[in-house]
Amino acid sequence: MTLSTELTQRTADDLEAWRLKHGLTKLEASMAFGITENNWINLTKPDVLAKPLQDAVIVMHLELFNQHPELVPNNKQPDIKEFYTFLGLKDDPKDREMFAKLIGRSTSSACRLLMHDGTTSKAVSMWIQSLVKLNLSPNKTLLLMKKIAKI
């Protein structure tokens, strides 16, 4: 495939700069581009950093990520307290118990997350990020979570 001159000048160094700018690991970056971590490592070896990228879809995907940064995977931990508040839940045992069910965790685990600044697991983080990306109202998000969790 023929790419514009500007795009054919994209290098592995551009890929690494993009990865570092967004605070991604090599595995996370490779997954964002649909390649293995091994391929990412081979693409970004020091001896090839200055060479133009050869895979047109990688170049186009990089350009898409540059033009639409909202598409870049987010590896940052969501603020669990902020999400809890967003859902309109109260600081009471009944709501904390329901929230635990909605995030697939025990009540004691949810309490640790909410009251003692615990760290969410990757699975819970991705679940919350997926829900947030839907851009639903708090009520619709809560209803969706209840529907999926069957509560």
Side-chain angles (χ1 to χ4, degrees), residues 15-20 22-37 39-41 43-44 58 61-62 65 72-73 75:
L15 277 180
E16 268 300 281
W18 173 86
R19 179 184 74 80
L20 295 171
H22 294 288
L24 300 174
T25 65
K26 290 181 181 190
L27 177 60
E28 291 165 334
S30 68
M31 290 173 63
F33 283 85
I35 60 175
T36 65
E37 184 178 19
N39 283 347
W40 182 276
I41 291 167
L43 273 174
T44 57
I58 300 275
H61 211 163
L62 177 60
F65 282 143
V72 175
N75 68 346

Side-chain angles (χ1 to χ4, degrees), residues 91-109:
D91 186 20
D92 65 40
K94 183 180 172 187
D95 278 3
R96 286 192 294 271
E97 183 179 343
M98 179 180 60
F99 185 68
K101 291 176 185 175
L102 295 174
I103 63 168
R105 294 295 178 254
S106 68
T107 303
S108 60
S109 176

Side-chain angles (χ1 to χ4, degrees), residues 41-99:
I41 291 167
N42 288 332
L43 273 174
T44 57
K45 284 183 179 178
D47 60 326
V48 297
L49 279 176
K51 294 181 181 176
L53 294 168
Q54 299 300 309
D55 190 329
V57 74
I58 300 275
V59 174
M60 292 185 300
H61 211 163
L62 177 60
E63 186 62 20
L64 182 66
F65 282 143
N66 286 334
Q67 289 182 18
H68 297 278
E70 69 274 13
L71 297 176
V72 175
N74 181 355
N75 68 346
K76 294 180 179 46
Q77 290 282 334
D79 184 323
I80 196 90
K81 291 178 188 177
E82 185 179 300
F83 185 68
Y84 185 87
T85 302
F86 164 78
L87 293 174
L89 301 174
K90 298 180 191 103
D91 186 20
D92 65 40
K94 183 180 172 187
D95 278 3
R96 286 192 294 271
E97 183 179 343
M98 179 180 60
F99 185 68

